[in-house]
């Protein structure tokens, strides 16, 4: 089939609205640009929720530059109403807002954990710096080094682990 013949057959195919309403789809059909023949399920939902005459009236009330967006909004609202007859798209919006609030709370919780972990890291780095400082100022006896193995005796402990935290003002 040639491309001209294909274009002619497509031009004479009724739109989804006219096909569903079983009427002749002419060149000035208002719904044809928005509901092509191969997207019948979109018009089915819109027709079921709003009715064809109401959809035509809604489209006529909108200025030409905004008609396509209006039809998309009508299709979305109809789909939402079919899924949730009571709340429609408002139910979806409410659900998404609740999810956003929950995610914000999770983010705040994570930020608090990050701050807490950074404080712990800084405290541990402070301890490490104190230990290194003490190690560099104290002399290492050769008797403590045994062929590369480091051994500690009672006098070489820089801090008593039982009293270190309370002496330095740490509370848990």
């Amino acid at each position: 089939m040639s491309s001209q013949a294909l274009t002619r057959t497509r031009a004479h195919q009724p739109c989804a609205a006219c096909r569903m309403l079983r009427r002749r789809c002419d060149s000035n059909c208002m719904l044809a640009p928005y509901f092509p023949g191969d997207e019948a399920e979109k018009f089915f939902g819109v027709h079921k929720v709003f009715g064809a005459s109401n959809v035509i009236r809604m489209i006529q009330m909108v200025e030409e530059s905004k008609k396509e967006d209006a039809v998309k909004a009508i299709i979305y609202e109809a789909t939402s109403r079919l899924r949730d007859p009571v709340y429609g798209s408002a139910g979806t919006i409410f659900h998404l807002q609740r999810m956003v609030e929950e995610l914000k709370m999770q983010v705040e919780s994570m930020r608090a954990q990050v701050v807490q972990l950074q404080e712990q890291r800084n405290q541990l780095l402070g301890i490490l710096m104190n230990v290194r400082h003490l190690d560099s100022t104290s002399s290492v006896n050769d008797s403590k080094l045994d062929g590369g193995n480091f051994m500690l005796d009672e006098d070489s402990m820089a801090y008593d682990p039982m009293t270190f935290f309370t002496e330095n003002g740490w509370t848990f």
Side-chain angles (χ1 to χ4, degrees):
M1 198 177 223
S2 72
S3 63
Q4 289 177 345
L6 194 64
T7 305
R8 270 190 243 141
T9 57
R10 284 189 185 157
H12 293 335
Q13 284 184 346
C15 67
C18 292
R19 182 179 290 168
M20 184 175 177
L21 299 173
R22 296 183 183 189
R23 63 182 186 193
R24 186 168 183 266
C25 188
D26 54 7
S27 61
N28 62 356
C29 176
M30 177 168 274
L31 300 174
Y34 311 110
F35 300 103
D38 58 344
E39 296 179 5
E41 67 280 349
K42 286 182 182 177
F43 182 75
F44 174 75
V46 169
H47 177 63
K48 188 171 183 175
V49 173
F50 297 110
S53 60
N54 289 330
V55 172
I56 291 171
R57 267 189 250 137
M58 285 188 269
I59 293 173
Q60 286 174 340
M61 291 182 351
V62 177
E63 27 180 283
E64 192 66 37
S65 63
K66 298 180 181 179
K67 284 186 180 185
E68 189 171 337
D69 291 335
V71 171
K72 287 178 184 178
I74 291 169
I75 292 169
Y76 182 78
E77 181 63 34
T79 305
S80 297
R81 284 280 167 197
L82 290 173
R83 266 190 270 137
D84 185 357
V86 175
Y87 295 108
S89 62
T92 304
I93 292 169
F94 175 74
H95 175 72
L96 291 172
Q97 286 174 337
R98 191 174 62 218
M99 285 176 56
V100 166
E101 291 302 317
E102 289 172 3
L103 290 172
K104 282 181 181 178
M105 289 189 308
Q106 287 179 3
V107 166
E108 287 304 315
S109 173
M110 289 292 140
R111 283 185 179 153
Q113 283 181 338
V114 165
V115 168
Q116 184 181 13
L117 291 172
Q118 285 175 340
E119 289 173 0
Q120 288 177 358
R121 182 197 65 173
N122 291 340
Q123 289 174 348
L124 292 173
L125 285 174
I127 293 169
L128 182 62
M129 296 304 275
N130 285 340
V131 170
R132 284 186 182 169
H133 177 68
L134 289 174
D135 285 346
S136 66
T137 58
S138 66
S139 62
V140 177
N141 296 334
D142 289 334
S143 64
K144 293 180 183 174
L145 296 174
D146 181 29
N149 294 330
F150 185 71
M151 298 184 319
L152 295 174
D153 58 7
E154 292 295 321
D155 298 331
S156 66
M157 278 301 254
Y159 296 105
D160 180 11
M162 296 302 196
T163 61
F164 173 78
F165 295 105
T166 55
E167 288 175 356
N168 292 308
W170 288 25
T171 58
F172 292 99

